[in-house]
Amino acid sequence: MSSVSLVDRVAALQDQKRYEDLHWTGTFEEYLDLVRRNPRVARTAYERLYDMVLSHGTEEYVDSKKKITRYRFFQDEVHEGRDAIFGLDIPLMRLVSVLKAAALRYGTERRIILLHGPVGSSKSTIARLLKKGIEEYSRSPEGALYTYEWTLPEGLRYLTAGQETFSSPMNEEPLKLIPSDVREQAITSLGLERDGFRPYIRGNLNPACRFIFRELMLHYKGDWSKVVRHVRVKRLLLSEEDRIGIGTFQPKDEKNQDSTELTGDINYRRIAEYGSDTDPRAFNFDGEFNVANRGVIEFVEILKLDVAFLYDLLGATQEQKIKPKKFAQTDIDEVIIGHTNEAEYNRLLENKFMEALRDRTVKIDVPYITKLSEEIKIYAKDYNPKKVRGRFIAPHTLEMAAMWAILTRLEDPKKHQLSLLQKLKLFDGKTLPGFTQDSVKELRKEAIREGMEGISPRYIQDKIANCLVSERGQMSINPFMVLNELEGGLRSHSLINNDDQRKRYTELLAVVKQEYEDIVKNEVQRAISADADAIARLCGNYIDNVKAYTQREKVKNPYTGQDEEPDERLMRSIETKIDIPESRKDDFRREIMNYIGALAIEGKQFDYRTNERLYKALELKLFEDQKDSIKLTSLVSQVVDREAQEKIDVVKQRLIRNYGYDEISASDVLTYVASIFARGEMK
């Protein structure tokens, strides 16, 4: 195959029509017609960012009687969840509310959005998502925006040192070329308002374009229509890599950084061309504020900024103007986002000289996740069969690591009858006797700083990674390996600065190990008692006896054919498995019969699997009846007879099939639970 044909094949993969759309150019007249058809192309930076978030859709759900809106944009579905944010729907709702208020020009467009929270709480990820989102939105038909450049004939190129074209150095909105004193009238008379949206065009041209505009007006004796014939409008594609519409500023060594990095600097080479350092054409509008115009600027660790930078920042927020060296104040239109950690923010509060900055800041707390199921998603995203090849992660490994992380972030409940683990389960949507959704709301309200302290997800990720590359983790890792690694790392953890905190975290690891023990005991119990026919027979027997008991009847013995009293011993042996006391047995039995009766009225048949408490009780009873025949304790000895081994293999296969274990981890769990049997600790 010739090289030409190969090139042609690659070229055929390109979408030529899309390329043409993305690189559209036209006259100012054509742009006015485009705006008349779709005024939203002239949105402000806040309007565009808010619309971008909404364009991905929303979902609503109720948590503890509170209606929550989940913005799907933050799930990063476009990139398969690479930067997805989990468990922070409420802080993200607050963030989007600020964007909405700013888009409607209610005042927050003149503020710095400050994401504040502990290290590793997704602040940088949120900022990165917004920057990436607006960049991609600018390439879509819905998010299209435009800027302009000057095109000059040879006789006028003295204005641009011989250049035929001169692009707007700050990628400004073309409608700013309409003089400000007639701009509102022009928008009305041209019919640029549509579907309740009216373009809001604030401020004047940047110094360089203002100079060219003024000179052309002089040349054409004030005929604006002739001036704009030298304007070519073009599609603007925001790009962080190309420094177009997206800026990022990160504090460095004070000696190697000055405020010109924000507002631009004089191009000394061009002074010779234009004759003066006060000529705006000899200025590089390449500061972060300049390049971020029409888009977003992110300040990394904003409160580490030197005081010299704060003056520029204050003007940029409140006045929406910047002051380039030796030039008049210049209008900007951009979203300013900063993020900082707890220590830096506390220092800001103590510094009275920083009151002006605090007053111009909208603080949004971004805490750690306090919902177990959401924390698990963070680790499942990075440690799954697709990404971790050749190694098996045993069931509950990520869950136990996440559980410990959440426990370190929760505050002890003020109600003493509630343990920290129970609080974790309530927050995760589980139900506990005596606790309602109102109780959960109360628990959340009483802990003001919950989620602002504790273990970072990064620490958990580091320790899971250590386990995966260790010699023991060459084939698989299990919860005990990870929990031991987490405990060992506490001795050298850089963010734990006192022994009391280290002791508390170690004690919480013991709580998690006990919870894991209970979980695997339960799974082995279920695997042993997973005989559906046997459970159904036991349930039928129990229901027959309960029916006879509640109706004061007798039960026919299927073997002798004799009528006998209900089997109290059988009923109590099942009920005690779920802690039904003697004093409550009648209530529980009536509850079961009422439940069956209600189903019958609806024409439905009773299925024990739909009643979770009864299902659990039946499983535990069946397990108790069968555990001795399985002889699981023989696993801890050296001798296992053939019959016992066959039964153990059946249980192992159930663990693999029903609970996600592999051969090695299923054997490990059975051996571990067997050791508990041997100690006589199984309930």
Side-chain angles (χ1 to χ4, degrees):
M1 206 176 270
S2 69
S3 61
V4 175
S5 64
L6 291 174
V7 169
D8 288 343
R9 288 178 66 186
V10 173
L13 299 174
Q14 290 185 303
D15 187 339
Q16 194 66 31
K17 177 67 170 64
R18 184 168 186 269
Y19 182 86
E20 291 173 2
D21 290 341
L22 293 178
H23 294 83
W24 178 92
T25 60
T27 64
F28 192 76
E29 177 85 24
E30 289 172 323
Y31 180 65
L32 288 176
D33 184 58
L34 194 153
V35 177
R36 188 160 52 182
R37 285 185 277 116
N38 179 19
R40 302 190 76 82
V41 299
R43 282 169 289 185
T44 64
Y46 271 106
E47 287 171 336
R48 187 170 284 102
L49 188 65
Y50 176 63
D51 287 347
M52 180 275 293
V53 172
L54 290 188
S55 70
H56 291 259
T58 60
E59 300 168 359
E60 288 190 349
Y61 66 96
V62 177
D63 183 21
S64 302
K65 293 188 175 181
K66 183 174 183 177
K67 189 169 80 171
I68 309 293
T69 301
R70 174 177 290 143
Y71 293 93
R72 295 178 61 182
F73 165 72
F74 295 103
Q75 296 176 13
D76 198 23
E77 294 171 348
V78 176
H79 303 98
E80 299 180 342
R82 188 172 62 217
D83 277 331
I85 307 291
F86 302 111
L88 295 176
D89 290 333
I90 293 176
L92 292 174
M93 278 176 62
R94 295 187 185 122
L95 171 61
V96 177
S97 293
V98 171
L99 296 180
K100 182 178 181 180
L104 294 169
R105 294 184 290 284
Y106 290 162
T108 50
E109 74 278 10
R110 299 178 181 273
R111 305 288 182 269
I112 301 167
I113 299 174
L114 181 64
L115 305 177
H116 158 257
V119 294
S121 64
S122 301
K123 302 183 297 296
S124 300
T125 306
I126 292 170
R128 184 167 63 250
L129 267 175
L130 290 172
K131 291 191 299 181
K132 184 171 62 179
I134 197 67
E135 182 177 319
E136 293 171 355
Y137 189 59
S138 74
R139 286 162 169 73
S140 70
E142 300 80 18
L145 69 161
Y146 298 82
T147 186
Y148 64 91
E149 61 188 8
W150 299 99
T151 60
L152 301 172
E154 197 165 336
L156 290 172
R157 289 179 191 171
Y158 66 89
L159 294 175
T160 56
Q163 298 178 63
E164 181 183 354
T165 60
F166 185 90
S167 294
S168 170
M170 291 175 60
N171 300 308
E172 288 172 317
E173 164 59 49
L175 293 183
K176 287 180 77 172
L177 290 161
I178 303 174
S180 57
D181 56 340
V182 298
R183 197 177 291 159
E184 286 303 308
Q185 290 174 264
I187 289 173
T188 301
S189 64
L190 292 171
L192 302 186
E193 186 173 354
R194 184 184 290 266
D195 300 327
F197 180 84
R198 181 183 177 88
Y200 175 70
I201 312 301
R202 184 192 58 79
N204 296 309
L205 299 172
N206 66 81
C209 289
R210 191 161 63 244
F211 176 87
I212 295 173
F213 181 86
R214 187 174 66 245
E215 292 297 313
L216 287 174
M217 285 289 281
L218 286 171
H219 179 79
Y220 289 112
K221 297 181 173 55
D223 190 339
W224 178 82
S225 64
K226 291 181 179 178
V227 171
V228 294
R229 287 175 191 164
H230 295 293
V231 171
R232 181 163 60 201
V233 179
K234 58 183 180 180
R235 181 84 177 261
L236 179 63
L237 305 177
L238 304 186
S239 169
E240 184 172 18
E241 288 186 356
D242 297 326
R243 300 186 77 222
I244 300 174
I246 299 173
T248 304
F249 188 80
Q250 188 166 352
K252 302 184 184 74
D253 180 17
E254 295 175 15
K255 296 177 182 178
N256 299 322
Q257 194 165 30
D258 60 49
S259 60
T260 59
E261 291 193 34
L262 287 176
T263 56
D265 200 3
I266 296 167
N267 186 334
Y268 291 96
R269 192 182 66 181
R270 286 193 172 179
I271 293 174
E273 297 173 3
Y274 295 113
S276 170
D277 62 356
T278 59
D279 191 309
R281 295 166 298 173
F283 191 85
N284 285 337
F285 292 89
D286 59 356
E288 294 303 321
F289 275 133
N290 306 105
V291 302
N293 194 43
R294 310 288 304 284
V296 177
I297 182 170
E298 175 194 6
F299 281 89
V300 179
E301 294 295 344
I302 188 171
L303 299 184
K304 285 189 171 76
L305 281 175
D306 187 63
V307 176
F309 294 92
L310 295 179
Y311 301 118
D312 290 310
L313 191 57
L314 295 178
T317 53
Q318 186 62 36
E319 307 302 328
Q320 294 181 294
K321 294 175 183 289
I322 56 172
K323 179 66 174 68
K325 187 189 293 185
K326 296 192 176 185
F327 295 102
Q329 287 192 321
T330 302
D331 294 286
I332 57 171
D333 171 29
E334 57 199 67
V335 179
I336 302 175
I337 297 178
H339 44 88
T340 189
N341 57 44
E342 281 263 68
E344 295 292 339
Y345 187 74
N346 290 335
R347 196 174 71 174
L348 171 69
L349 295 177
E350 294 167 4
N351 189 345
K352 292 184 179 179
F353 296 104
M354 304 282 269
E355 284 183 0
L357 180 64
R358 291 210 309 267
D359 192 46
R360 290 167 171 80
T361 296
V362 176
K363 181 170 74 76
I364 296 172
D365 288 333
V366 183
Y368 288 134
I369 296 171
T370 55
K371 196 170 184 178
L372 177 61
S373 55
E374 296 295 323
E375 182 80 6
I376 293 170
K377 291 177 184 177
I378 294 177
Y379 312 123
K381 182 180 72 174
D382 293 326
Y383 307 108
N384 56 65
K386 186 186 276 189
K387 288 193 174 182
V388 182
R389 298 179 183 275
R391 289 169 176 78
F392 182 78
I393 300 175
H396 310 297
T397 301
L398 304 182
E399 179 188 349
M400 294 302 106
M403 182 178 288
W404 178 68
I406 300 289
L407 288 174
T408 66
R409 302 166 189 170
L410 297 180
E411 295 181 20
D412 290 316
K414 292 177 182 176
K415 293 184 176 180
H416 298 294
Q417 71 270 28
L418 188 70
S419 71
L420 203 61
L421 184 61
Q422 288 174 316
K423 182 178 180 179
L424 176 146
K425 291 179 179 180
L426 283 172
F427 279 9
D428 201 39
K430 304 292 190 297
T431 56
L432 290 175
F435 288 91
T436 63
Q437 289 187 336
D438 288 329
S439 307
V440 178
K441 283 177 67 177
E442 187 182 334
L443 283 168
R444 291 191 185 279
K445 283 182 180 178
E446 72 181 22
I448 300 170
R449 285 188 46 78
E450 201 151 65
M452 299 302 284
E453 296 175 352
I455 289 294
S456 160
R458 289 186 190 135
Y459 178 75
I460 305 293
Q461 289 166 326
D462 291 345
K463 299 309 170 188
I464 293 172
N466 286 352
C467 288
L468 285 168
V469 298
S470 67
E471 283 189 26
R472 289 187 61 201
Q474 290 300 309
M475 294 298 293
S476 65
I477 63 170
N478 60 48
F480 280 117
M481 287 174 64
V482 173
L483 293 174
N484 290 337
E485 183 72 24
L486 291 170
E487 185 172 1
L490 290 177
R491 289 189 290 272
S492 57
H493 196 298
S494 58
L495 298 179
I496 299 177
N497 48 26
N498 63 71
D499 290 336
D500 289 341
Q501 192 179 36
R502 191 174 287 107
K503 181 183 176 185
R504 178 175 180 268
Y505 290 174
T506 304
E507 289 170 350
L508 291 174
L509 277 165
V511 172
V512 173
K513 287 177 181 178
Q514 181 59 54
E515 178 67 10
Y516 175 64
E517 186 175 295
D518 292 342
I519 289 171
V520 292
K521 277 195 251 182
N522 182 261
E523 285 184 346
V524 171
Q525 286 172 352
R526 289 191 164 192
I528 289 174
S529 58
D531 186 339
D533 292 338
I535 292 183
R537 287 194 299 271
L538 180 61
C539 180
N541 197 2
Y542 174 73
I543 295 299
D544 287 344
N545 280 276
V546 167
K547 179 184 175 185
Y549 177 85
T550 54
Q551 297 182 3
R552 300 186 180 180
E553 298 174 348
K554 292 192 175 183
V555 180
K556 185 179 288 292
N557 189 312
Y559 303 107
T560 64
Q562 299 293 316
D563 289 335
E564 299 175 353
E565 293 295 325
D567 190 342
E568 182 67 20
R569 185 175 177 183
L570 170 71
M571 290 187 288
R572 288 304 293 150
S573 68
I574 292 171
E575 292 158 359
T576 54
K577 296 292 180 290
I578 49 173
D579 301 322
I580 304 294
E582 182 75 22
S583 59
R584 282 266 300 125
K585 68 179 184 182
D586 287 2
D587 292 337
F588 180 74
R589 292 169 188 176
R590 279 193 293 270
E591 183 184 313
I592 292 292
M593 294 313 299
N594 289 340
Y595 177 64
I596 294 172
L599 287 174
I601 291 171
E602 295 175 8
K604 297 177 182 177
Q605 193 169 1
F606 171 69
D607 185 340
Y608 64 87
R609 284 167 292 201
T610 61
N611 189 307
E612 191 175 340
R613 294 180 77 200
L614 180 59
Y615 190 10
K616 181 181 178 182
L618 292 167
E619 280 187 326
L620 290 171
K621 168 61 177 168
L622 190 63
F623 167 73
E624 187 178 77
D625 294 344
Q626 292 187 354
K627 68 178 182 180
D628 292 331
S629 66
I630 295 289
K631 294 182 181 177
L632 195 59
T633 50
S634 59
L635 274 173
V636 296
S637 66
Q638 298 298 316
V639 182
V640 183
D641 63 71
R642 182 178 175 183
E643 183 182 353
Q645 185 62 55
E646 288 175 353
K647 291 180 178 178
I648 289 169
D649 288 342
V650 169
V651 174
K652 188 186 295 184
Q653 290 307 310
R654 286 174 183 166
L655 286 171
I656 294 169
R657 184 176 64 250
N658 299 337
Y659 298 100
Y661 290 87
D662 68 348
E663 192 76 28
I664 296 172
S665 60
S667 298
D668 288 344
V669 163
L670 283 172
T671 303
Y672 174 61
V673 174
S675 68
I676 301 173
F677 269 104
R679 296 197 306 266
E681 293 180 6
M682 177 66 80
K683 291 181 181 178

